[in-house]
Amino acid sequence: AQSVTQLGSHVSVSEGALVLLRCNYSSSVPPYLFWYVQYPNQGLQLLLKYTSAATLVKGINGFEAEFKKSETSFHLTKPSAHMRDAAEYFCAVSDEEDSSASKIIFGSGTRLSIRP
Amino acid sequence: GAVVSQHPSRVICKSGTSVKIECRSLDFQATTMFWYRQFPKQSLMLMATSNEGSKATYEQGVEKDKFLINHASLTLSTLTVTSAHPEDSSFYICSAIQGWGNEQFFGPGTRLTVL
């Protein structure tokens, strides 16, 4: 079954530093991949989505992610962290039985902390 | 963007009682709604998929008689936790889509605490 693995349950960076959140996927078919952000006690907001159109995907709030098939990775990056980026980030993959990608499976999440 | 609301945002109940959580799509018609459960510091686990006017499809391991889902209209789905126990305490999140294949929009979540 398809799944995503997020390396590092907690990442801490300084304000202005590079943000790198890691995600590896396993899927037997070309997947749709997502990154979501969750602020405390709130629902999820879509940051970006990979649908095979382009390997480098740009999202909201300055985030982007690159799909690397050879590494089965979809890491999330942002050149310069802001205090407001502190949140929980979830990588997700589409259910391979659902080609429309409406049903998705979430990774375990990475909590991003920003140091002043 | 599309807005999904949940009510209540927080509920505390006694063990053995039932609790109903509402999920509403405010500015679009949701043909499908999803219900997730999120334990502290863990990811979202899909509980069930709900299509308007039909029975919900539950994920493996989710008790359909305990977690009753009703999707009576294109803007409202409800999740009722029956005979709640402390282990049911969790953050319950719904999402909605306007047609299969479209982006999921998430509600703000409902924190359930069972005493």
Side-chain angles (χ1 to χ4, degrees), chain A:
Chain A
Q2 66 279 38
S3 64
V4 287
T5 301
Q6 291 185 242
L7 300 176
S9 60
H10 182 209
V11 171
S12 179
V13 302
S14 297
E15 190 174 18
L18 171 71
V19 175
L20 171 60
L21 305 183
R22 299 178 186 275
C23 173
N24 288 88
Y25 69 90
S26 71
S27 177
S28 58
V29 299
Y32 289 174
L33 292 159
F34 311 79
W35 275 100
Y36 286 87
V37 60
Q38 184 182 31
Y39 297 101
N41 295 310
Q42 294 187 28
L44 273 67
Q45 182 181 9
L46 180 66
L47 278 177
L48 49 82
K49 174 181 177 181
Y50 167 75
T51 59
S52 76
T55 57
L56 183 62
V57 183
K58 293 186 183 298
I60 62 172
N61 302 339
F63 285 93
E64 63 182 36
E66 186 172 7
F67 174 74
K68 291 187 177 180
K69 185 177 180 180
S70 61
E71 299 177 9
T72 61
S73 69
F74 190 58
H75 302 330
L76 181 71
T77 60
K78 182 174 180 177
S80 177
H82 290 275
M83 296 300 293
R84 62 177 177 266
D85 295 327
E88 189 86 17
Y89 290 80
F90 293 96
C91 182
V93 65
S94 56
D95 187 322
E96 64 186 13
E97 295 180 0
D98 167 32
S99 60
S100 69
S102 284
K103 189 174 179 181
I104 53 182
I105 298 165
F106 289 89
S108 56
T110 298
R111 182 164 61 91
L112 176 63
S113 299
I114 311 296
R115 301 188 300 271

Side-chain angles (χ1 to χ4, degrees), chain B residues 25-78:
Chain B
S25 55
L26 298 185
D27 51 4
F28 67 100
Q29 292 187 324
T31 54
T32 302
M33 289 184 171
F34 301 88
W35 285 97
Y36 296 85
R37 179 169 53 186
Q38 183 181 30
F39 291 107
K41 300 187 186 303
Q42 295 187 28
S43 188
L44 282 73
M45 301 300 295
L46 180 64
M47 299 175 67
T49 303
S50 164
N51 293 301
E52 185 266 336
S54 62
K55 289 184 178 180
T57 301
Y58 290 82
E59 295 298 303
Q60 191 172 8
V62 178
E63 300 174 61
K64 61 181 181 181
D65 294 331
K66 180 170 184 62
F67 298 99
L68 301 178
I69 292 173
N70 183 281
H71 193 164
S73 77
L74 286 172
T75 60
L76 173 65
S77 175
T78 60

Side-chain angles (χ1 to χ4, degrees), chain B residues 1-21:
Chain B
V3 180
V4 176
S5 69
Q6 284 185 239
H7 179 79
S9 59
R10 190 179 293 266
V11 57
I12 300 172
C13 69
K14 292 182 178 180
S15 184
T17 61
S18 295
V19 174
K20 179 185 286 188
I21 301 170

